[in-house]
Amino acid sequence: MRVTTEPVAPAVRAPGGEPPPVAPPPRQRLHRRIRSTQWAGLAFLAPLLAYLLIFYAFPLYRNLELSVHDYTVRAFVLGNAEFTGFANYRDVLTSDTFGLALRNTLLFTFVSIAAQYAIGLALAVFFRANFRLSGVLRAMFLVPWLLPLIVSGSTWAWMLAGDNGIVNAALEAFGIGQINWLTDPDWALTSVITANIWLGIPFNLVILHAGLQNIPDELYEAAALDGANAWQQFWRVTFPLLRPVSAITLLLGLVYTLKVVDVIWIMTTGGPGNVSTTLAVWSYREAFGTGQPDFSPAATVGNLLILMALAFGFVYLQLQRRQHADQEGEQP
Amino acid sequence: MTLRTARPAPGRRTRWKTALGVFLTALMLFPVYWMFNVSLTRTEDMRADPPHWFPWNPTFEGYGDVLRDQLPALGTSLGIGLGCVALTLLISAPAGFALAKLLRRGRGAVSFVLLVAQMIPSVVMAIGFYAVYVRLGWINSVWGLIVADSTIAVPFAVMVLAAFMSGIPSELMQAARIDGAGTWRTFVWVVLPLGRNAVLTVSLFSFLWAWSDFIFASTLDRNGDAVPITLGIYAYIGNNTTEWNSIMATAVVASVPAAVLLVVAQRFVAGGVTAGAVKD
């Protein structure tokens, strides 16, 4: 940022009515002033920088280090593990679990966010109109998002329980026989995806609803005058104008969903077998899920997950930058 | 009067919308109702087929178990939540101020780092923290858990606070400066009071996230003397799979902060969700 070309006026005005002749030339004063706020800024930023270094960078470094060593539990405490280079990465990438976990991760992530977005958008449009209780009801929709994941996860687990879960009882009324949602290999992944969609709807609803507020009513009125029905209004006005907000919602959803562990772990622990194991769950299980912690592969899988998240994050940044450029371009 | 008639009078024409809205909300909140229902079901009715849709013969056994077993865990969670709020504010309020008002250079870089920080999976952080804590002897300590939980909130908090503080007119700060206040006093007496809504939003979220955390608790504090309520529930699930009324009663109690938050601070919640996503 070019500091010297910023508007000079307010900053140079001599505080306390100092006589102008004594004051140094404006430009020099401004420089000093800016340098001093820059130093103050760094001082105020220092706790955060220290925090990020100690509690983000260092654990991440340790993680990286774990992934290129062969850490046994003993070596983990003593810190004398053997350096193995990329052997862990090779092992992980060639293991049978990897393909399945990758497939599950992609399925879990994309099906979840697609459904969350579609349902969230439909609800946002529904709640755009003011009707009696609309505010209260919209607030109630936030509840699933605010509950601790262990609460919602265990509630879903009990609802989907094979013998006497409420879901099976309801299906039985329609003549559908018992389905072991959480223990049947054909259904476990579907079950955790369903619960996760439920969890993500509020987030999508809130953001998309906020986005809808920024679309001026006049556009709808104009469209109505032109004879567009509700369906056409949605596809010609709402959807195109909501695109920037949609993009951000989807990308944030992507990044959040990639790293989900709790819901899956609480409901199925990734099983039966590995049928509902995602990369994040796999990493968690290797490190903490069994009696035998295996930190090196766990860290390796985790690092691969970071790479995926960063790739999506990069798309997000590009998108945000382009939006900024668009906005600035619009101004005269 | 034409203006009046342009919009349908709220009431008659929107009644079906209210009805549909109530129906959809009920559908959405069914799992929450079910949790509540199961928490009041007697153990002998738990395996009834079909399950009881309403708690006709409510029992408070489950809640009795909560009082007996889980009070310390609730206290621990409260302490961790409050500690996490304090730590988060201590770090992020000055940083938000620096980003919004003081720094001329390096803003973009810091924002970028914060964005990346939010993308790191918590499993990875948990493994990293575990590796660090083993050496420090911080495993199974409440302090270690507070620090770990704060990493969920700090990047978000800095971004929300910076976004809010950049809306504070610079003239106010200059006025304070002319009155002789240094940067620190300007921050404490001008910026923080003006930014109290953002501070409140950030506090609410960091409390709720710390309260709800399962991953860090289950990795860094699983054998601790003082475990948070999320682990209390998890241990219940592992131990007595027959007594789901106790599990669900604990779940209901663990949901209380979320409910309070929604009633007391609804607009901050919605504001916080949006601020995290669509900054500026």
Side-chain angles (χ1 to χ4, degrees), chain B residues 167-199:
Chain B
I168 295 175
S170 297
E171 288 78 25
L172 279 175
M173 292 174 52
Q174 271 153 24
R177 191 177 289 266
I178 289 168
D179 288 345
T183 313
W184 174 251
R185 289 185 54 188
T186 312
F187 170 64
V188 175
W189 295 108
V190 179
V191 174
L192 277 187
L194 284 172
R196 62 174 178 275
N197 278 0
V199 169

Coordinates of all heavy atoms in Angstrom, one line a residue, chain B residues 167-199:
Chain B
G167 N -15.1 0.1 11.1 CA -16.3 0.9 10.9 C -16.4 2.1 11.9 O -17.2 3.0 11.7
I168 N -15.5 2.1 12.9 CA -15.5 3.2 13.9 C -14.8 4.4 13.2 O -13.7 4.3 12.7 CB -14.7 2.8 15.1 CG1 -15.5 1.7 15.8 CG2 -14.5 4.0 16.1 CD1 -14.7 1.1 17.1
P169 N -15.5 5.6 13.2 CA -14.9 6.7 12.5 C -13.5 7.1 13.1 O -13.4 7.2 14.3 CB -15.9 7.8 12.8 CG -17.1 7.2 13.3 CD -16.7 5.8 13.8
S170 N -12.6 7.4 12.2 CA -11.2 7.7 12.7 C -11.2 9.1 13.4 O -10.4 9.3 14.2 CB -10.3 7.8 11.5 OG -10.2 6.6 10.8
E171 N -12.2 9.9 13.1 CA -12.3 11.2 13.8 C -12.4 11.0 15.3 O -11.8 11.8 16.1 CB -13.5 12.0 13.3 CG -13.4 12.6 11.9 CD -13.7 11.5 10.9 OE1 -14.4 10.5 11.2 OE2 -13.2 11.6 9.8
L172 N -13.1 10.0 15.7 CA -13.3 9.7 17.2 C -11.9 9.5 17.8 O -11.6 9.9 18.9 CB -14.2 8.6 17.4 CG -15.7 8.9 17.3 CD1 -16.5 7.6 17.4 CD2 -16.1 9.9 18.4
M173 N -11.1 8.7 17.1 CA -9.8 8.4 17.6 C -8.9 9.6 17.6 O -8.1 9.8 18.5 CB -9.2 7.2 16.8 CG -9.9 5.9 16.9 SD -9.2 4.7 15.8 CE -7.4 4.9 16.2
Q174 N -9.0 10.4 16.6 CA -8.2 11.6 16.5 C -8.6 12.6 17.7 O -7.8 13.2 18.3 CB -8.4 12.3 15.2 CG -7.4 11.8 14.2 CD -7.8 11.9 12.8 OE1 -8.7 12.7 12.5 NE2 -7.3 11.1 11.9
A175 N -9.9 12.6 17.9 CA -10.4 13.5 19.0 C -9.7 13.0 20.3 O -9.2 13.8 21.1 CB -11.9 13.4 19.1
A176 N -9.7 11.7 20.5 CA -9.1 11.2 21.8 C -7.6 11.5 21.8 O -7.1 11.9 22.9 CB -9.3 9.6 21.8
R177 N -7.0 11.5 20.7 CA -5.6 11.8 20.6 C -5.3 13.2 20.9 O -4.4 13.6 21.7 CB -5.0 11.5 19.2 CG -3.5 11.5 19.1 CD -3.2 11.1 17.7 NE -3.4 9.7 17.4 CZ -2.5 8.8 17.5 NH1 -1.3 9.1 17.9 NH2 -2.7 7.5 17.3
I178 N -6.2 14.1 20.4 CA -6.0 15.5 20.7 C -6.2 15.8 22.2 O -5.5 16.6 22.8 CB -7.0 16.4 19.8 CG1 -6.6 16.3 18.4 CG2 -7.1 17.8 20.3 CD1 -7.6 16.8 17.4
D179 N -7.1 15.0 22.8 CA -7.2 15.2 24.2 C -6.1 14.5 25.0 O -6.1 14.5 26.2 CB -8.6 14.5 24.7 CG -9.8 15.3 24.2 OD1 -9.6 16.4 23.8 OD2 -10.9 14.7 24.2
G180 N -5.1 14.0 24.3 CA -3.9 13.6 25.0 C -3.9 12.1 25.3 O -3.0 11.6 26.0
A181 N -4.8 11.3 24.8 CA -4.8 9.9 25.0 C -3.9 9.2 24.1 O -3.8 9.5 22.9 CB -6.2 9.3 24.8
G182 N -3.1 8.3 24.7 CA -2.2 7.5 23.8 C -3.0 6.4 23.1 O -4.2 6.2 23.3
T183 N -2.3 5.5 22.4 CA -3.0 4.5 21.6 C -3.7 3.5 22.5 O -4.8 3.1 22.3 CB -1.9 3.7 20.7 OG1 -1.1 4.7 20.1 CG2 -2.6 2.9 19.7
W184 N -3.0 3.2 23.6 CA -3.6 2.2 24.5 C -4.9 2.7 25.1 O -5.9 2.0 25.2 CB -2.6 1.8 25.6 CG -3.1 0.9 26.7 CD1 -3.4 1.3 27.9 CD2 -3.5 -0.4 26.5 NE1 -3.9 0.2 28.6 CE2 -4.0 -0.9 27.7 CE3 -3.4 -1.3 25.4 CZ2 -4.4 -2.2 27.9 CZ3 -3.9 -2.6 25.6 CH2 -4.3 -3.0 26.9
R185 N -4.8 4.0 25.6 CA -6.0 4.5 26.2 C -7.1 4.7 25.2 O -8.3 4.5 25.5 CB -5.7 5.8 27.0 CG -4.9 5.6 28.2 CD -4.6 6.8 29.0 NE -5.8 7.5 29.3 CZ -5.9 8.7 29.9 NH1 -4.7 9.3 30.1 NH2 -7.0 9.3 30.2
T186 N -6.8 5.1 24.0 CA -7.8 5.2 23.0 C -8.5 3.8 22.8 O -9.7 3.7 22.6 CB -7.1 5.6 21.6 OG1 -6.3 6.7 21.9 CG2 -8.2 6.0 20.6
F187 N -7.6 2.8 22.7 CA -8.2 1.4 22.6 C -9.1 1.1 23.7 O -10.3 0.6 23.4 CB -7.0 0.5 22.5 CG -7.4 -1.0 22.5 CD1 -8.1 -1.5 21.5 CD2 -7.0 -1.8 23.6 CE1 -8.5 -2.9 21.5 CE2 -7.3 -3.1 23.6 CZ -8.1 -3.7 22.6
V188 N -8.7 1.3 24.9 CA -9.5 0.9 26.1 C -10.8 1.7 26.2 O -11.8 1.2 26.5 CB -8.7 0.9 27.3 CG1 -9.5 0.5 28.6 CG2 -7.5 -0.1 27.2
W189 N -10.6 3.0 26.0 CA -11.7 3.9 26.4 C -12.6 4.3 25.2 O -13.7 4.8 25.4 CB -11.2 5.2 27.1 CG -10.6 4.8 28.4 CD1 -9.3 4.8 28.7 CD2 -11.3 4.4 29.6 NE1 -9.1 4.4 30.0 CE2 -10.3 4.1 30.6 CE3 -12.6 4.2 29.9 CZ2 -10.6 3.7 31.8 CZ3 -12.9 3.7 31.2 CH2 -11.9 3.5 32.1
V190 N -12.1 4.2 24.0 CA -12.9 4.6 22.9 C -13.3 3.4 22.0 O -14.5 3.1 21.8 CB -12.2 5.6 22.0 CG1 -13.0 6.0 20.8 CG2 -11.8 6.8 22.8
V191 N -12.3 2.6 21.6 CA -12.6 1.5 20.6 C -13.4 0.4 21.3 O -14.4 -0.1 20.7 CB -11.3 1.1 20.0 CG1 -11.5 -0.1 19.1 CG2 -10.6 2.2 19.2
L192 N -12.9 -0.1 22.4 CA -13.6 -1.2 23.0 C -15.0 -1.0 23.4 O -15.9 -1.8 23.0 CB -12.8 -1.7 24.2 CG -11.6 -2.7 24.0 CD1 -11.1 -3.2 25.3 CD2 -12.1 -3.8 23.1
P193 N -15.3 0.2 24.0 CA -16.8 0.4 24.3 C -17.6 0.5 23.1 O -18.7 0.0 23.0 CB -16.7 1.8 25.0 CG -15.4 1.9 25.6 CD -14.5 1.2 24.6
L194 N -17.1 1.1 22.0 CA -17.8 1.2 20.8 C -18.0 -0.1 20.1 O -19.0 -0.4 19.4 CB -17.2 2.2 19.8 CG -17.3 3.7 20.1 CD1 -16.4 4.5 19.2 CD2 -18.8 4.1 20.0
G195 N -17.0 -1.0 20.3 CA -17.1 -2.3 19.7 C -17.7 -3.4 20.5 O -17.5 -4.6 20.3
R196 N -18.5 -3.0 21.5 CA -18.9 -4.0 22.5 C -19.8 -5.0 21.8 O -19.9 -6.2 22.3 CB -19.6 -3.4 23.7 CG -20.8 -2.6 23.4 CD -21.5 -2.1 24.7 NE -22.7 -1.3 24.4 CZ -22.6 0.0 24.1 NH1 -21.5 0.6 24.2 NH2 -23.7 0.6 23.8
N197 N -20.6 -4.7 20.8 CA -21.4 -5.7 20.1 C -20.6 -6.8 19.5 O -20.9 -8.0 19.6 CB -22.3 -5.0 19.0 CG -23.5 -4.4 19.6 OD1 -23.7 -4.5 20.8 ND2 -24.3 -3.8 18.8
A198 N -19.5 -6.3 18.9 CA -18.6 -7.3 18.2 C -17.9 -8.2 19.3 O -17.8 -9.4 19.2 CB -17.6 -6.6 17.4
V199 N -17.5 -7.5 20.4 CA -16.9 -8.2 21.5 C -17.9 -9.3 22.1 O -17.5 -10.4 22.4 CB -16.5 -7.2 22.6 CG1 -16.0 -8.0 23.9 CG2 -15.3 -6.4 22.1

